[in-house]
């Protein structure tokens, strides 16, 4: 599998990673999927303390025992469980980040995290304090690098100018091209890598699966029409899912796409996108003409 560098860091990742959120809570099944992914060249495993209230981190940690050196391990922080209250609160404070990382390390069964990511963010956050926390953890060797997971261009712009983030995780697909307007050009200019989540748009662009509901900016009828047009660009060796993943990898600022997988079939379909040729510029431009770009409101 092709390896790409994350930003200006020493971290190199296979161009197809694994978003672990959809693994579920069955340990045997999750372990089997992670092991298969690693054996087929996946290196980036992305989880978060939020997923299944920490259970996802535990499953990932157990699955990589004895294989830690094979993995670029990424997790996230910022969502805080408040005792006596339902749900999660948002806490990007330095004190909380320095505390939460210890719990993530415990659940993951490791003494360092390759990529620690702020799981959201607003302009009202104490951004300088948040950056201080990540920089301290980096200096202490607790994390190797840090990034943010955000779809807000103004927040991304703040971190890109003030911090040493190496990556931004952002939603990007053929049916959600908002990142092309502001985020991707900014990241390319700054030498920061994008980690793409949702390249298959929660199954809307999955092969052998007919969507039953609309997605933002596309009514169901429009989505089905687009799928029909895109399927004309597929071939015996390139499914619709793989076309969608390759599209998300076509921008030079993108280092890795992390489609989720809840079954071995989905996992193999996703990973196979690494074995097909990159899209030609002609393919990319045709897909852009067929799809919509940034019609619905940007998140600020």
């Amino acid at each position: 599998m092709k390896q790409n560098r994350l930003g200006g860091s020493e971290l190199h990742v296979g161009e197809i990673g694994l978003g672990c959120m959809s693994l579920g809570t069955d340990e045997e099944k999750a372990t089997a999927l992670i092991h298969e992914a690693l054996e087929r060249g996946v290196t980036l495993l992305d989880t978060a303390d939020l997923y299944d209230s920490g259970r996802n981190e535990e499953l990932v940690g157990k699955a990589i025992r004895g294989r830690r050196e094979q993995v670029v391990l990424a997790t996230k922080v910022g969502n805080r469980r408040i005792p006596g209250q339902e749900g999660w609160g948002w806490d990007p404070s330095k004190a909380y980040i320095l505390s939460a990382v210890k719990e993530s390390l415990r659940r993951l069964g490791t003494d360092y995290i390759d990529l620690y990511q702020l799981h959201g963010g607003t302009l009202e956050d104490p951004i300088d304090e948040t950056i201080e926390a990540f920089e301290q953890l980096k200096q202490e060797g607790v994390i190797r690098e840090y990034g943010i997971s955000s779809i807000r261009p103004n927040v991304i712009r703040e971190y890109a100018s003030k911090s040493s983030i190496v990556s931004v995780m952002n939603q990007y697909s053929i049916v959600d091209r908002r990142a092309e307007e502001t985020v991707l050009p900014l990241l390319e200019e700054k030498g920061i890598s994008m980690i793409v989540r949702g390249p298959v748009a929660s199954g809307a662009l999955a092969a052998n699966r007919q969507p039953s509901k609309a997605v933002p900016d596309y009514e169901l009828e429009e989505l089905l029409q687009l799928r029909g047009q895109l399927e004309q660009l597929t071939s015996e060796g390139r499914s619709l899912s793989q076309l969608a993943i390759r599209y998300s990898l076509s921008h030079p600022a993108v280092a890795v796409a992390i489609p989720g997988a809840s079954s071995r079939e989905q996992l193999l379909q996703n990973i196979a996108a690494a074995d097909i040729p990159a899209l030609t510029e002609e393919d990319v431009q045709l897909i852009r003409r067929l799809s919509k770009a940034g019609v619905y409101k940007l998140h600020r």
Side-chain angles (χ1 to χ4, degrees):
M1 185 183 295
K2 181 185 177 186
Q3 300 290 306
N4 293 322
R5 186 179 182 185
L6 275 183
S9 75
E10 296 303 313
L11 297 178
H12 289 77
V13 295
E15 64 178 352
I16 309 293
L18 179 61
C20 295
M21 183 175 68
S22 56
L23 290 176
T25 56
D26 183 296
E27 183 176 338
E28 184 177 352
K29 180 181 177 184
T31 299
L33 287 172
I34 290 172
H35 286 178
E36 178 111 39
L38 295 178
E39 287 159 10
R40 293 180 179 272
V42 168
T43 56
L44 179 67
L45 299 180
D46 177 76
T47 180
D49 57 3
L50 178 68
Y51 300 161
D52 295 315
S53 300
R55 176 63 175 158
N56 195 261
E57 284 186 327
E58 292 175 348
L59 293 177
V60 171
K62 288 180 180 180
I64 64 173
R65 284 178 185 168
R67 304 172 184 239
R68 181 67 182 89
E69 298 305 313
Q70 289 180 251
V71 176
V72 175
L73 184 58
T75 191
K76 309 182 195 73
V77 66
N79 294 283
R80 183 175 191 173
R81 178 77 73 183
I82 301 174
Q85 295 184 22
E86 290 188 8
W88 298 75
W90 176 243
D91 190 349
S93 68
K94 181 177 181 178
Y96 179 65
I97 292 170
L98 296 181
S99 171
V101 72
K102 296 176 183 177
E103 292 303 306
S104 284
L105 290 169
R106 179 185 60 79
R107 287 188 292 264
L108 291 164
T110 186
D111 57 2
Y112 71 98
I113 293 165
D114 295 293
L115 181 66
Y116 204 32
Q117 301 159 102
L118 185 67
H119 202 174
T122 72
L123 291 179
E124 287 70 45
D125 292 343
I127 292 176
D128 291 340
E129 179 183 324
T130 302
I131 293 170
E132 282 181 15
F134 285 111
E135 289 290 347
Q136 179 176 325
L137 291 174
K138 188 175 175 182
Q139 290 170 8
E140 293 173 351
V142 176
I143 66 174
R144 293 179 66 189
E145 300 290 351
Y146 66 98
I148 63 170
S149 175
S150 176
I151 58 173
R152 294 181 171 91
N154 286 346
V155 172
I156 293 169
R157 193 173 293 113
E158 283 291 297
Y159 279 91
S161 64
K162 290 184 172 183
S163 75
S164 59
I165 58 170
V166 300
S167 64
V168 171
M169 182 176 293
N170 198 281
Q171 191 167 302
Y172 180 44
S173 71
I174 293 172
V175 295
D176 185 352
R177 293 175 48 211
R178 290 172 294 172
E180 293 173 2
E181 297 183 33
T182 54
V183 175
L184 282 165
L186 172 67
L187 299 187
E188 186 175 13
E189 176 191 342
K190 296 288 188 179
I192 298 168
S193 293
M194 179 181 281
I195 299 173
V196 172
R197 64 179 177 86
V200 188
S202 300
L205 298 172
N208 305 317
R209 177 176 166 185
Q210 194 78 342
S212 58
K213 60 182 181 180
V215 296
D217 203 34
Y218 285 83
E219 298 296 334
L220 179 58
E221 184 177 338
E222 291 179 305
L223 177 60
L224 294 175
Q225 181 181 15
L226 176 62
R227 280 177 59 99
Q229 293 171 323
L230 294 173
E231 282 168 354
Q232 295 179 32
L233 301 178
T234 62
S235 62
E236 185 175 337
R238 184 170 75 182
S239 71
L240 181 58
S241 298
Q242 292 156 3
L243 178 75
I245 292 170
R246 290 257 48 117
Y247 179 81
S248 74
L249 290 166
S250 65
H251 195 283
V254 174
V256 54
I258 53 166
S262 57
S263 69
R264 183 173 186 268
E265 180 185 8
Q266 289 177 346
L267 178 70
L268 296 182
Q269 179 77 210
N270 294 339
I271 293 174
D275 298 327
I276 63 175
L279 299 184
T280 65
E281 183 60 25
E282 183 180 359
D283 285 338
V284 170
Q285 293 305 322
L286 177 56
I287 290 169
R288 287 177 178 168
R289 287 197 296 272
L290 293 173
S291 61
K292 300 178 183 179
V295 177
Y296 62 107
K297 189 177 181 181
L298 281 168
H299 292 259
R300 297 295 179 185

